[in-house]
């Protein structure tokens, strides 16, 4: 696949190792701009169609395997005996190794369990269902803020507002800090070369460390206070553990749902029949949820090979990096026929939008709630909308794929 060169090239190309068969090599760079206006999902579809094997290898980003076949992708995400979560981001240097400081995503079973329980206790269905009215209320407030104007920048005015402001309330942090925190979070998932990764980590720690120490011993009900006072393995978290856990939560909470919403609404803007079906029959919104999630996965996870292993017809060496993208699972025709189509009536629907196994996304209940409330409140108030005249859709690849900011318009 052809790749364009960004203004600041973060790539680190390497020579093909001897254990990589020549017909496995593909020119694929996750962090390069997506060419020709393709979406991330079309980009992955092209890779899948060109793959000569179920597992390919790219020299970009330090060199890493790319798993194409859905069942093998799911194995990589769930088999912690062979595929470690110690490093989950490519390239290993400098991004992956920097991010491996944060927990529990970088821990394997059984070490990860006590820390994962802390996140589960804060983001489980019981806790998230309490937010229904708050999510709905903020959605209405944002929509009514621009509805009479007949247009908005969906990403800036809505997608980057609702989920991150809800998350900032969960952790009881001031909304005026959002631009800084969102910028830092984005440098892990879509690095632009404007800051060194050790500086990203330092700025996160400089910000969150004093807040956690201040909330030690506090009785607040926010997520950061509960993490500052949590226990793991029968003892209080250390300051470093609390920082690592909190930074992990911030990175996850400030990015993924933003991009899911952008993909869903960019799709609705150019698909009149689907949009009108949902607007005219709100009962079908619930029915649409699983297909939206199936159609628009955005995360490309990776794992570190723990020991030499024969896998997917190739020999992987210890410390090799292997990518198992959730997009590859959903976009493969063996998973979902006509995978790019949106279909209410799929008899089978295979996807791993929230990941698989021990590291299934702890924020999945919040993401589902936010998507449902946004669709409900938006379509009740702005049932007819379209891409603004002169607007075209462009997309950015990365660990979390996104739709670049776009304008919507509607008749007032």
């Amino acid at each position: 696949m052809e790749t364009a060169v960004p203004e600041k090239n973060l790539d680190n190309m390497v020579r093909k190792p001897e254990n990589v068969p020549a017909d496995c090599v593909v020119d694929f760079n996750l962090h390069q701009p997506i060419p020709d206006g393709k979406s991330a999902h079309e980009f992955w579809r092209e890779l899948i169609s060109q793959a000569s094997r179920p597992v390919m290898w790219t020299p970009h980003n330090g060199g890493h395997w790319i798993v194409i076949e859905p069942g093998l992708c799911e194995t990589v995400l769930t088999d912690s005996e062979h595929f470690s979560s110690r490093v989950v981001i490519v390239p290993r240097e400098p991004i992956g190794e920097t991010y491996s400081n944060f927990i529990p995503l970088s821990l394997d079973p059984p070490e990860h369990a006590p820390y994962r329980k802390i996140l589960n206790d804060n983001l489980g269905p019981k806790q998230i269902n309490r937010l229904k009215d708050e999510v709905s209320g903020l959605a209405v407030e944002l929509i009514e803020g621009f509805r009479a104007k007949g247009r908005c920048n969906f990403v800036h005015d809505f997608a980057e507002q609702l989920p991150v402001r809800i998350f900032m309330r969960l952790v009881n942090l001031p909304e005026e800090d959002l631009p800084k925190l969102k910028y830092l979070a984005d440098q892990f998932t879509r690095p632009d070369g404007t800051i060194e990764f050790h500086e990203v980590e330092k700025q996160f720690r400089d910000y969150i460390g004093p807040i956690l120490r201040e909330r030690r011993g506090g009785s607040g009900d926010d997520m950061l206070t509960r993490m500052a006072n949590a226990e793991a393995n029968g003892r209080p978290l250390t300051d470093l553990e609390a920082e690592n856990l909190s930074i992990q939560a911030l990175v996850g909470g400030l990015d993924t749902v933003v991009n899911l919403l952008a993909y869903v609404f960019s799709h609705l803007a150019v698909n009149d029949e689907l949009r009108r079906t949902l607007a005219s029959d709100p009962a079908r919104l619930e029915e649409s949820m699983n297909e939206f999630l199936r159609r628009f996965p955005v995360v490309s996870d990776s794992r570190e090979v723990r020991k030499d292993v024969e896998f997917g017809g190739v020999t992987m060496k210890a410390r090799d990096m292997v990518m198992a993208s959730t997009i590859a699972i959903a976009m493969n025709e063996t998973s979902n026929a006509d995978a790019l189509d949106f279909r209410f009536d799929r008899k089978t629907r295979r996807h791993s939008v929230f990941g698989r196994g021990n590291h299934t996304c702890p924020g999945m209940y919040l993401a589902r709630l936010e998507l449902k409330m946004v669709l409900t409140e938006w379509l009740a108030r702005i049932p007819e909308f379209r891409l603004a005249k002169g607007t075209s859709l462009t997309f950015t690849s990365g660990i979390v794929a996104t739709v670049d900011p776009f304008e919507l318009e509607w008749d007032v």
Side-chain angles (χ1 to χ4, degrees):
M1 300 178 66
E2 294 183 0
T3 52
V5 178
E7 293 182 5
K8 294 196 176 184
N9 190 356
L10 302 174
D11 198 4
N12 174 25
M13 290 189 68
V14 299
R15 292 181 179 274
K16 180 184 77 68
E18 292 184 2
N19 62 303
V20 176
D23 64 344
C24 276
V25 180
V26 63
D27 184 18
F28 179 82
N29 184 346
L30 184 72
H31 293 293
Q32 296 280 17
I34 298 176
D36 303 325
K38 296 183 180 73
S39 71
H41 306 90
E42 292 167 327
F43 195 38
W44 274 93
R45 283 278 294 168
E46 184 176 326
L47 173 64
I48 292 167
S49 68
Q50 293 179 358
S52 58
R53 288 171 172 256
V55 177
M56 303 295 288
W57 185 88
T58 175
H60 295 277
N61 295 305
H64 64 88
W65 299 100
I66 309 170
V67 181
I68 303 298
E69 199 278 319
L72 296 179
C73 283
E74 292 163 353
T75 298
V76 169
L77 295 176
T78 57
D79 182 2
S80 58
E81 179 182 351
H82 294 95
F83 305 101
S84 173
S85 295
R86 190 188 75 82
V87 182
V88 298
I89 289 178
V90 296
R92 176 198 300 279
E93 297 287 354
I95 313 176
E97 291 288 353
T98 301
Y99 200 71
S100 69
N101 292 324
F102 308 136
I103 58 176
L105 186 58
S106 61
L107 298 177
D108 294 312
E111 289 80 10
H112 89 293
Y115 305 99
R116 174 58 189 250
K117 183 179 184 302
I118 296 170
L119 291 180
N120 289 347
D121 289 346
N122 283 278
L123 295 168
K126 181 179 179 181
Q127 291 77 17
I128 295 306
N129 286 337
R130 297 172 185 167
L131 296 173
K132 182 176 180 180
D133 290 343
E134 191 164 358
V135 174
S136 178
L138 180 56
V140 172
E141 176 187 330
L142 291 170
I143 294 166
E144 292 301 330
F146 49 65
R147 181 163 67 140
K149 299 176 184 177
R151 66 185 298 122
C152 74
N153 183 303
F154 182 80
V155 174
H156 292 325
D157 298 337
F158 192 85
E160 288 184 342
Q161 297 296 318
L162 184 136
V164 295
R165 286 170 64 176
I166 290 295
F167 186 79
M168 293 294 272
R169 295 176 189 182
L170 270 175
V171 294
N172 190 23
L173 292 176
E175 289 187 3
E176 55 264 31
D177 293 347
L178 261 176
K180 174 181 179 177
L181 294 176
K182 186 69 171 67
Y183 168 75
L184 293 175
D186 286 349
Q187 295 311 303
F188 284 114
T189 56
R190 290 174 305 281
D192 61 13
T194 59
I195 185 173
E196 297 291 333
F197 288 99
H198 67 84
E199 183 63 22
V200 175
E201 180 180 13
K202 181 181 183 299
Q203 289 191 27
F204 258 132
R205 294 192 188 283
D206 289 347
Y207 176 86
I208 205 67
I211 294 172
L212 290 168
R213 289 190 287 275
E214 180 183 338
R215 296 186 189 183
R216 286 274 195 187
S219 58
D221 195 37
D222 64 275
M223 188 172 170
L224 279 185
T225 298
R226 290 198 295 268
M227 289 195 291
N229 295 286
E231 292 189 353
N233 301 310
R235 57 164 178 78
L237 295 184
T238 66
D239 286 349
L240 183 60
E241 287 173 331
E243 284 183 12
N244 290 344
L245 186 65
S246 299
I247 293 171
Q248 172 73 80
L250 286 172
V251 172
L254 295 175
D255 192 47
T256 310
V257 180
V258 172
N259 303 307
L260 172 63
L261 291 176
Y263 267 106
V264 168
F265 273 77
S266 64
H267 186 76
L268 290 174
V270 297
N271 287 272
D272 295 345
E273 183 178 355
L274 173 60
R275 185 184 65 251
R276 288 165 184 163
T277 295
L278 296 178
S280 63
D281 186 2
R284 301 206 73 177
L285 283 178
E286 185 67 39
E287 187 183 352
S288 74
M289 287 287 293
N290 284 335
E291 182 66 352
F292 275 126
L293 294 173
R294 194 281 312 169
R295 176 61 181 81
F296 296 112
V298 295
V299 178
S300 293
D301 276 326
S302 295
R303 296 289 188 266
E304 181 183 55
V305 178
R306 300 188 78 156
K307 53 190 175 183
D308 292 5
V309 62
E310 297 293 322
F311 185 75
V314 299
T315 300
M316 295 182 177
K317 296 292 187 179
R319 285 182 54 80
D320 280 0
M321 291 300 298
V322 51
M323 180 180 292
S325 175
T326 61
I327 302 176
I329 296 173
M331 290 296 107
N332 201 302
E333 290 293 312
T334 63
S335 296
N336 303 288
D338 300 318
L340 287 170
D341 293 347
F342 185 101
R343 293 183 179 177
F344 284 102
D345 59 350
R346 290 186 181 275
K347 294 182 179 179
T348 59
R349 185 177 283 116
R350 184 177 185 178
H351 68 82
S352 298
V353 65
F354 296 118
R356 286 275 177 134
N358 295 297
H359 292 295
T360 299
C361 177
M364 61 182 174
Y365 302 109
L366 180 58
R368 279 183 169 273
L369 175 68
E370 289 175 335
L371 177 59
K372 183 177 180 180
M373 290 298 98
V374 166
L375 286 168
T376 300
E377 302 299 351
W378 184 290
L379 292 174
R381 289 164 175 78
I382 309 177
E384 281 292 320
F385 58 92
R386 56 192 175 270
L387 288 181
K389 187 176 180 179
T391 294
S392 59
L393 295 173
T394 59
F395 305 86
T396 299
S397 184
I399 304 304
V400 180
T402 188
V403 187
D404 297 331
F406 58 93
E407 297 274 340
L408 295 179
E409 65 181 14
W410 51 90
D411 297 331
V412 178

